[in-house]
Amino acid sequence: MKLVFKARRVITPEGERPACVGVEDGRIVAIDDWLTGDRVIELADDSVLLPGLVDTHVHVNDPGRSEWEGFDTATRAAAAGGVTTLVDMPLNSLPPTVDVAALDVKRKTAEGRVHIDVGFWGGAIPGNRADLRGLHEAGVYGFKCFLLHSGVDEFPPLSDPELEEDLRELKGFGAMMIVHAEDSDSIEHAPQPHGAKYDDFLHSRPRGAENMAIARVIELARRTGARVHILHLSSSDALPMIASAKRDGVPVTVETCPHYLSFTAEEILDGATQFKCCPPIREAENRELLWRGLADGVIDYIVSDHSPCTAELKRFDSGDFGEAWGGIASLQLGLPAVWTQARHRGFALTDVVRWMAQRPAEHVGLVHKGRIEVGCDADFCVFAPDESFQVDARKLQHRNKVSAYHGRTLAGVVRSTWLRGTEVTGARALGRLLSRGE
């Protein structure tokens, strides 16, 4: 064979084992106890061969707000974190991806600038129902909507009747709706965020707003039969109703994020707007229940919700949570952040790989991604799980050096990342632009 990876620890869908993994033409062609090849890469004894991670919730913000991030910096950061495939969100870029023309603009912007493979979500907003089928046929992986103001005026929310009609439309051609589920009316009547106290911000985005919106989405999925996916679950209160819906056969899936599994409201200092995100980071008890939801399979997988901005937009000058942009940049740090917390709760790397590679790939239909298995792309992350490091935001590949993880010690170091059998070094852009079904 042209290329063989040899490791004492390889994470496959069947579990962890010592193995040799053979690669030809960018695909895995053999997994066995012993293989030989023109080039043999033997991993150090303290390294584990993981499948490349799949992050299906990333805001690249390019074109239009490339000063917030951009395809070059986002995909460099992803590769540095062991991510080999991401799916880009339809908003915060200009134009938003709400019709085929906007998708074409985004593809042209990304062409030749991606260091890993990149797919795209479409957007569902008032007035673009006629564009949804065309976007689906053009290869987007599904459609994102908001139930409240998205933070940018060019991507307005859907009303309940609009959401129901869009779900019926998507059901007609088998597409999925992914939903930012917070109830607009609940938040409008909550205390308004102001000033530097994190507790004030937390009360402005109550659990009830999330719970109410999720209940409505589940009911509409039950009524229409359309596939729905709850984005960035923050409120553990919603877990029982999600579990009940799944038992009833409602086509609903759920994700959460490293920051909800890592941080707690009690530890966030006043003015620390690097921790602002929507929905918010909640209390320690809530965090533990989210981990239980992962263990029970109610939460399907983990994604970054990488939502960067410039340092100025975080309003470090005032520390005002009401004025600061809401979003946490973590694309490069998701794997060590999750592993740091997971190992202390008795989880194994096989669990982390299932949550951060296999399940997100399966969910969006990336049939050749997320697994070390014959026939899959030779996308790998070489990971040293017992090595630790202290996060220095200045050294991250993200365009803006702002991180809620700055100064934290995390377990697990990504030693190298491989895309279709080629190491991603940043010297040249190796990534491809993907369409649904690839």
Side-chain angles (χ1 to χ4, degrees), residues 81-289:
V83 177
T84 51
T85 307
L86 68 80
V87 186
D88 176 49
M89 283 290 163
L91 74 158
N92 299 345
S93 55
L94 292 169
T97 316
V98 295
D99 54 36
V100 172
L103 177 63
D104 289 342
V105 170
K106 183 165 280 192
R107 283 182 167 274
K108 288 175 183 175
T109 302
E111 190 70 49
R113 299 175 57 218
V114 294
H115 296 270
I116 64 167
D117 288 352
V118 174
F120 302 95
W121 294 106
I125 62 172
N128 83 323
R129 189 170 303 132
D131 295 298
L132 301 181
R133 184 181 289 271
L135 278 165
H136 178 76
E137 292 173 351
V140 300
Y141 286 86
F143 298 89
K144 181 175 185 177
C145 73
F146 278 74
L147 304 184
L148 78 172
H149 195 281
S150 68
V152 290
D153 292 338
E154 68 273 6
F155 202 95
L158 296 178
S159 66
D160 281 3
E162 288 168 333
L163 175 59
E164 181 171 356
E165 288 304 307
D166 279 4
L167 288 176
R168 294 189 187 282
E169 177 75 10
L170 299 188
K171 171 65 174 175
F173 47 88
M176 172 173 54
M177 183 75 84
I178 64 174
V179 185
H180 182 123
E182 288 182 284
D183 179 67
S184 177
D185 188 62
S186 297
I187 289 175
E188 284 178 9
H189 287 86
Q192 294 304 297
H194 58 85
K197 291 182 67 65
Y198 183 76
D199 194 57
D200 289 343
F201 169 66
L202 183 61
H203 282 87
S204 76
R205 314 288 291 216
R207 294 191 198 194
E210 225 180 323
N211 303 336
M212 185 176 295
I214 290 170
R216 287 210 315 276
V217 171
I218 289 172
E219 176 56 31
L220 290 177
R222 191 190 305 271
R223 188 181 304 172
T224 63
R227 293 171 62 202
V228 298
H229 178 71
I230 305 299
L231 297 167
H232 44 52
L233 180 69
S234 161
S235 172
S236 63
D237 292 350
L239 290 170
M241 73 171 113
I242 294 167
S244 176
K246 287 187 171 191
R247 285 193 299 270
D248 290 347
V250 178
V252 58
T253 49
V254 187
E255 68 184 37
T256 194
C257 306
H259 40 277
Y260 301 129
L261 299 168
S262 298
F263 304 122
T264 64
E266 293 90 339
E267 65 186 335
I268 297 176
L269 299 176
D270 292 346
T273 54
Q274 66 268 33
F275 291 93
K276 180 181 176 180
C277 56
C278 299
I281 295 162
R282 304 193 188 276
E283 301 83 358
E285 180 186 12
N286 183 82
R287 177 183 66 177
E288 297 314 307
L289 290 171

Side-chain angles (χ1 to χ4, degrees), residues 84 115-117 369 378-379 417-422 424 430-431:
T84 51
H115 296 270
I116 64 167
D117 288 352
K369 302 291 188 181
D379 296 351
T417 299
W418 300 72
L419 183 68
R420 288 184 298 277
T422 300
V424 182
L430 301 170

Side-chain angles (χ1 to χ4, degrees), residues 203-406:
H203 282 87
S204 76
R205 314 288 291 216
R207 294 191 198 194
E210 225 180 323
N211 303 336
M212 185 176 295
I214 290 170
R216 287 210 315 276
V217 171
I218 289 172
E219 176 56 31
L220 290 177
R222 191 190 305 271
R223 188 181 304 172
T224 63
R227 293 171 62 202
V228 298
H229 178 71
I230 305 299
L231 297 167
H232 44 52
L233 180 69
S234 161
S235 172
S236 63
D237 292 350
L239 290 170
M241 73 171 113
I242 294 167
S244 176
K246 287 187 171 191
R247 285 193 299 270
D248 290 347
V250 178
V252 58
T253 49
V254 187
E255 68 184 37
T256 194
C257 306
H259 40 277
Y260 301 129
L261 299 168
S262 298
F263 304 122
T264 64
E266 293 90 339
E267 65 186 335
I268 297 176
L269 299 176
D270 292 346
T273 54
Q274 66 268 33
F275 291 93
K276 180 181 176 180
C277 56
C278 299
I281 295 162
R282 304 193 188 276
E283 301 83 358
E285 180 186 12
N286 183 82
R287 177 183 66 177
E288 297 314 307
L289 290 171
L290 292 177
W291 276 106
R292 187 180 302 173
L294 278 165
D296 294 343
V298 180
I299 299 174
D300 295 273
Y301 56 81
I302 304 169
V303 292
S304 68
D305 188 11
H306 178 70
S307 185
C309 66
T310 62
E312 291 76 15
L313 287 173
K314 276 297 186 182
R315 294 307 307 269
F316 294 125
D317 55 341
S318 66
D320 191 320
F321 280 95
E323 296 180 355
W325 176 260
I328 290 181
S330 63
L331 186 54
Q332 186 171 334
L333 299 171
L335 176 57
V338 170
W339 175 237
T340 298
Q341 299 293 326
R343 66 176 189 159
H344 289 310
R345 292 168 174 81
F347 296 109
L349 277 173
T350 50
D351 299 309
V352 174
V353 164
R354 186 172 66 255
W355 295 327
M356 301 187 77
Q358 184 173 344
R359 281 185 177 170
E362 291 171 347
H363 183 241
V364 301
L366 287 161
V367 295
H368 300 297
K369 302 291 188 181
R371 307 183 313 281
I372 297 180
E373 188 173 84
V374 172
C376 287
D377 287 352
D379 296 351
F380 304 125
C381 167
V382 177
F383 187 61
D386 298 323
E387 189 175 344
S388 63
F389 69 103
Q390 187 176 60
V391 178
D392 183 344
R394 296 166 298 181
K395 296 180 180 179
L396 296 175
Q397 296 292 324
H398 307 153
R399 173 157 293 173
N400 292 285
K401 312 306 183 183
V402 175
S403 174
Y405 294 90
H406 179 70

